Amino acid sequence: METKSQKNPQLDKVRELVEDIRIAMMTTVDEAGHLVSRPMAALQMDEDGTIWFFTKRTSPKVDQIDNNQHHVNLAFADVGDADYVSISGTADELDDRAKVNELWNPQAKAWFPEGKEDPELILLKVHTDMAEYWNASDSTMVRLFQQATAAITGNPPKMGENAKVYN
């Protein structure tokens, strides 16, 4: 995944975490009002905090995005490192062959057998409105020790950094 330095420097930590985690659970709202999530591979986070994905033109998520004022949530999680990111934003579908060519990678062929020219292939771009992240700075052993200490003392552990960032 390619990420670019952010125009909003507060998003740089979000960019670092997204780059490392890469797979997001994208949540939309279906026609019955239910929250629906599915894994999506982030392809790029550009300098404006926009995250790019490939999708199929006929995917239900495309209709869900159009029917819900384009609001989505992206949840990234690396449980092993205790790093988590939640991004609220707006999504739009885009049929831009130049951008498809820029972002194309060999793994995408599994979902788009006709390659970059697959007529089903379009882009989803998610503009970051707000992001919140949790980033553990200590090793797993230190985190476990902090949790055990907290259980004994009754004082919540300090498990790293947490911040909200508005774009």
Side-chain angles (χ1 to χ4, degrees), residues 74-85:
L74 303 174
F76 294 85
D78 181 342
V79 177
D81 284 340
D83 292 333
Y84 307 92
V85 180

Side-chain angles (χ1 to χ4, degrees), residues 24-27 40 51 53 72-76 85-88 126:
M25 291 298 290
M26 178 183 286
T27 302
M40 300 284 292
I51 302 175
F53 301 89
V72 298
N73 182 268
L74 303 174
F76 294 85
V85 180
S86 175
I87 296 174
S88 298
V126 176

Side-chain angles (χ1 to χ4, degrees), residues 78-143:
D78 181 342
V79 177
D81 284 340
D83 292 333
Y84 307 92
V85 180
S86 175
I87 296 174
S88 298
T90 52
D92 288 295
E93 67 268 10
L94 187 65
D95 191 352
D96 179 339
R97 291 297 141 190
K99 189 72 174 176
V100 166
N101 285 332
E102 175 189 335
L103 298 175
W104 183 257
N105 62 68
Q107 294 88 354
K109 190 149 174 94
W111 285 271
F112 302 99
E114 295 180 43
K116 294 184 263 189
E117 301 308 317
D118 193 314
E120 277 291 297
L121 174 60
I122 61 170
L123 296 158
L124 280 181
K125 63 178 193 170
V126 176
H127 173 74
T128 300
D129 294 328
M130 190 275 287
E132 185 169 12
Y133 65 88
W134 298 262
N135 174 238
S137 53
D138 296 317
S139 70
T140 302
M141 290 303 292
V142 170
R143 291 192 316 267

